[in-house]
Amino acid sequence: MIVKEPFIFPHWNYFLCLEDDVIRLSRWVEFSQRNLDCYSIEIARLLMSVSAEVDVVARLLCKNLNPASKADTIGKYQQEISASFPTIPKALASIPRHGIELYPWSEWVAARTPPKWWSATNKVKHHRESHFHQATLENLLDAMGGLLVLLTLYYRKEVHRLMPLSQLFIPKAFLINMGDNHVRFIDRA
């Protein structure tokens, strides 16, 4: 018997694990416009887990773009990632099954502006007693979309090898670095 060890994409595998939890959540909370403000302990747990992975992947992406990078905050990630991918605020992820389109990095059109879901995560994490209501379905879905976009950029040279594909989220249009800071949209839907 010959067993070939496949190349492992650890952050993609973690995304799929988080996505599985989000899919299970959809059995209890319908992903619809009416429920976007819904919040719960489970949504808070997932939001904090997803945002923590965004932090990890954003740091790795910055290191890939600039090996000397010392980026360690959302503001510094924004500076470095936006410099290489200036159209990231237009990056689109969708959840076709529920008719949802996400622009998770849209706040990055303004300098030093964190995404709404990132700010909500920090408020829920540090001031849960007064901001628990910000652990919403909308913030969770945007955070997942944000993670998907970062993973697409991080694995951009290997994106075609990410298997299995996401069951819920589709990066309809996302950014690919073409070298020399030339960026184009590519549609994978």
Side-chain angles (χ1 to χ4, degrees), residues 4-10 12-13 154-155 158 161-163:
K4 286 187 173 183
E5 190 167 319
F7 184 79
I8 304 298
F9 298 97
W12 181 251
N13 289 340
Y154 180 65
Y155 290 124
E158 303 282 343
R161 294 179 57 201
L162 297 178
M163 294 291 170

Side-chain angles (χ1 to χ4, degrees), residues 15-54:
F15 171 84
L16 294 174
C17 180
L18 291 167
E19 181 186 54
D20 188 53
D21 288 345
V22 171
I23 290 169
R24 269 192 249 123
L25 177 68
S26 74
R27 295 182 68 195
W28 305 103
V29 178
E30 182 65 26
F31 291 2
S32 70
Q33 185 70 35
R34 288 183 174 185
N35 288 337
L36 290 178
D37 288 335
C38 177
Y39 61 95
S40 71
I41 289 173
E42 180 65 5
I43 294 172
R45 179 188 70 80
L46 287 168
L47 177 62
M48 287 188 278
S49 295
V50 172
S51 296
E53 186 67 359
V54 165

Side-chain angles (χ1 to χ4, degrees), residues 62-170:
C62 288
K63 282 282 190 196
N64 272 1
L65 297 171
N66 172 14
S69 174
K70 297 203 183 320
D72 61 356
T73 65
I74 195 71
K76 291 176 184 174
Y77 301 149
Q78 179 184 6
Q79 283 181 313
E80 293 192 21
I81 294 170
S82 293
S84 293
F85 303 102
T87 56
I88 194 169
K90 296 178 183 175
L92 168 65
S94 70
I95 308 173
R97 177 176 164 189
H98 299 284
I100 296 172
E101 290 192 338
L102 308 163
Y103 294 90
W105 299 105
S106 62
E107 284 90 354
W108 276 12
V109 294
R112 297 249 179 215
T113 305
K116 184 183 113 191
W117 55 266
W118 183 268
S119 298
T121 300
N122 283 315
K123 288 178 181 176
V124 171
K125 181 168 55 172
H126 298 294
H127 306 286
R128 199 163 305 144
E129 67 285 350
S130 55
H131 291 281
F132 182 63
H133 66 280
Q134 291 189 29
T136 64
L137 178 61
E138 179 176 22
N139 286 327
L140 171 61
L141 296 178
D142 276 335
M144 284 291 292
L147 178 56
L148 178 65
V149 168
L150 290 183
L151 286 168
T152 300
L153 295 174
Y154 180 65
Y155 290 124
R156 66 192 174 277
K157 294 176 183 168
E158 303 282 343
V159 75
H160 62 283
R161 294 179 57 201
L162 297 178
M163 294 291 170
L165 295 176
S166 169
Q167 292 181 3
L168 189 60
F169 294 86
I170 294 178

